[in-house]
Amino acid sequence: MQRSKRQFGFETRMLHAGHVPDAVTGARAVPIYQTTSYVFDNTDYAAQLFELKQYGNIYTRINNPTTAVFEERIASLENGTGAVATASGMAAQFTALMTLLEPGDEIVASTHLYGGTVTQFTHTFKKLSVKVHFVDPTRIEHWEQAITPKARALYGETIGNPQGSLLDIESLAELAHAHRIPLVVDNTFATPYLCRPIDFGADIVIHSATKFIGGHGNSIAGVIVESGKFDYSHFNTIAAPSPSYHDLKFYETFGHYGFLMKARAETLRDTGAALSPFNAFLLIQGLETLSVRMDRHVDNARAIAAFLYGHPRVEWVAYAGLPDSPYHTLAQKYTPKGPGAVFTFGLKADNPRRAGQQFIEALHLFSHLANVGDVRSLVIHPASTTHQQLSDEELRQAGVGPGMIRLSIGLETTGDLLWDLEQALAAIE
Ligand SMILES: *Cc1c(COP(=O)(O)O)cnc(C)c1O
């Protein structure tokens, strides 16, 4: 393929970014380089690689040619300068934040986060002497009040759950930059097709690629993207000489790529949460159909949200695609193609906890499991699963009503999904 100056569209980059056909074999699909290590051309070259004077493959814990295609493709789709893939979404957030933070530092985070993220921030970060202030993401003044001189990042999700809230990325980026700290956004529920946080001022984007990016419910993975625009010159961790890399100054040496180089060469090297090349291959397959799948996920989600909204057994539906959602205006700004395909709704029943169980038991097509972003439709009833030890009062405090159901809408025939929901709602006593 000839090089050209043309700025290619999103779909073209989904298929081509980061890869040209293999020069030796002509293989058109991205080959799986299932290898741990790489033969060095000579001893000088080996020394240069280890000094980071030359960029090349050393060991698959740090880099791999199949994983590199996935990283470059995601960076291109998110309008970032580069990306580092990790073994899971949890590892992506951990790697990104451990690269930025030192003991004694603080971050300010939204309360509308994935449950595992709250646990990681609250308990594991505490062991590392990092304090996390949780704030209501819809109140910009709460974010501002929580920023102390020790704050080193703001953290939120583009589409938060279970409330289905939209993060006001542009306002938060302005606030973060006024305090000379980066905004980190978990873009898992939106994917780069529905929202590109970097275009609105976010500095670091992370994903659980396990969800819509892989898209088929077959691999756990994560990825970190850097905008390349944040000035880290006053950040101790990125700018000061690094004792774990013979006093290398990452920001001075690598500039707009400094954060990612440190994330890869130090944090990933030391924590070991590398992605396997085979999983990188599966994620590349997922990315190749991302726009097609997301349009269809959104179409189905809109139809189902509208159906549930009008159903007499349903009390409320929290989907920002509905006109009366408090997040509808923000959704039109940040996710004009639709606010994803994961949302919650509440059952109207005398005993909502039992009604939730009866509803789930009666479903045929929706799979009852703890995941989102699969091609298949998924359902979970938090009150009888993830939150089952809590009393009704404790559930209310956690924002999880006893009759709350979470759906992740898949790509099945729309009428079949509506049929399944209708008959399961009718099965509630
Ligand atoms: C699933 C998820 C994570 C964690 O990712 P894993 O790949 O399961 O480690 C983080 N954030 C969000 C929004 C998620 O949905």
Side-chain angles (χ1 to χ4, degrees):
M1 195 166 58
Q2 292 287 313
R3 297 250 162 219
S4 88
K5 289 207 169 64
R6 185 177 167 82
Q7 176 58 49
F8 291 114
F10 189 91
E11 291 78 7
T12 305
R13 288 179 284 137
M14 267 170 19
L15 296 159
H16 294 279
H19 182 61
V20 290
D22 187 75
V24 177
T25 64
R28 176 63 275 200
V30 178
I32 306 173
Y33 289 96
Q34 192 70 34
T35 182
T36 56
S37 31
Y38 310 86
V39 177
F40 305 125
D41 284 353
N42 54 56
T43 51
D44 280 349
Y45 177 69
Q48 297 226 330
L49 286 179
F50 276 85
E51 277 181 75
L52 299 181
K53 290 210 166 119
Q54 173 91 38
Y55 195 80
N57 298 316
I58 298 179
Y59 189 60
T60 287
R61 170 150 39 80
I62 299 162
N63 47 16
N64 172 280
T66 308
T67 305
V69 174
F70 171 64
E71 292 169 333
E72 277 190 49
R73 200 161 286 183
I74 282 281
S76 170
L77 297 178
E78 285 283 8
N79 290 339
T81 46
V84 171
T86 57
S88 68
M90 295 300 281
Q93 15 188 98
F94 190 78
T95 305
L97 292 168
M98 280 306 109
T99 303
L100 288 176
L101 305 175
E102 298 183 293
D105 285 349
E106 300 180 356
I107 66 172
V108 183
S110 160
T111 47
H112 297 188
L113 295 182
Y114 176 71
T117 308
V118 175
T119 312
Q120 183 186 65
F121 285 4
T122 307
H123 301 289
T124 299
F125 279 26
K126 189 173 170 191
K127 289 192 218 165
L128 302 167
S129 301
V130 168
K131 184 168 174 151
V132 183
H133 299 280
F134 288 100
V135 295
D136 175 350
T138 63
R139 306 283 298 277
I140 195 87
E141 67 277 15
H142 289 197
W143 290 88
E144 189 154 21
Q145 284 154 14
I147 298 175
T148 74
K150 292 180 179 169
R152 286 292 172 276
L154 304 186
Y155 191 97
E157 292 178 4
T158 310
I159 303 171
N161 243 311
Q163 301 84 352
S165 57
L166 267 282
L167 197 68
D168 190 352
I169 299 170
E170 204 161 48
S171 304
L172 283 175
E174 247 171 59
L175 178 67
H177 298 158
H179 290 84
R180 301 179 71 205
I181 59 177
L183 171 64
V184 184
V185 174
D186 178 337
N187 198 32
T188 300
F189 278 26
T191 81
Y193 180 64
L194 299 179
C195 179
R196 285 173 294 282
I198 287 173
D199 292 355
F200 296 103
D203 304 288
I204 296 169
V205 171
I206 71 111
H207 281 280
S208 167
T210 309
K211 313 293 166 53
F212 293 101
I213 286 176
H216 296 74
N218 56 27
S219 357
I220 303 281
V223 66
I224 307 162
V225 187
E226 173 173 18
S227 74
K229 294 182 195 138
F230 190 79
D231 178 357
Y232 286 103
S233 53
H234 62 294
F235 249 72
N236 217 14
T237 45
I238 316 291
S242 173
S244 114
Y245 228 104
H246 47 66
D247 284 346
L248 183 69
K249 293 179 182 169
F250 278 92
Y251 193 57
E252 193 181 291
T253 311
F254 299 107
H256 66 283
Y257 207 67
F259 161 79
L260 279 185
M261 280 301 281
K262 189 179 168 91
R264 185 187 299 282
E266 286 192 1
T267 316
L268 201 56
R269 176 197 66 185
D270 293 355
T271 58
L275 184 65
S276 93
F278 185 71
N279 281 5
F281 172 81
L282 292 172
L283 300 176
I284 291 165
Q285 300 306 293
L287 278 183
E288 290 183 349
T289 56
L290 183 69
S291 67
V292 184
R293 285 186 291 111
M294 291 316 291
D295 278 337
R296 171 94 185 131
H297 276 296
V298 166
D299 284 351
N300 268 353
R302 283 194 198 282
I304 287 164
F307 162 79
L308 292 172
Y309 186 79
H311 198 282
R313 291 217 151 141
V314 172
E315 184 135 23
W316 52 268
V317 182
Y319 183 56
L322 291 169
D324 76 346
S325 159
Y327 307 107
H328 191 65
T329 312
L330 284 175
Q332 284 177 316
K333 171 173 178 173
Y334 291 107
T335 56
K337 294 195 186 83
V342 180
F343 63 90
T344 54
F345 71 96
L347 291 170
K348 202 185 284 176
D350 294 338
N351 184 342
R353 201 188 273 252
R354 212 187 60 207
Q357 284 171 301
Q358 287 172 340
F359 171 75
I360 301 246
E361 301 264 329
L363 285 164
H364 293 293
L365 285 174
F366 283 78
S367 303
H368 181 207
L369 53 76
N371 190 27
V372 297
D374 195 314
V375 281
R376 288 155 283 259
S377 289
L378 315 176
V379 64
I380 199 157
H381 177 224
S384 65
T385 55
T386 51
H387 293 67
Q388 64 163 277
Q389 292 87 352
L390 305 191
S391 67
D392 285 1
E393 183 48 36
E394 285 171 320
L395 284 179
R396 248 184 292 282
Q397 282 170 8
V400 176
M404 186 180 100
I405 306 281
R406 187 184 72 191
L407 300 177
S408 174
I409 306 301
L411 309 183
E412 295 92 341
T413 307
T414 317
D416 291 341
L417 294 177
L418 295 174
W419 161 81
D420 197 21
L421 293 167
E422 175 76 74
Q423 64 83 24
L425 286 166
I428 299 171
E429 281 157 22

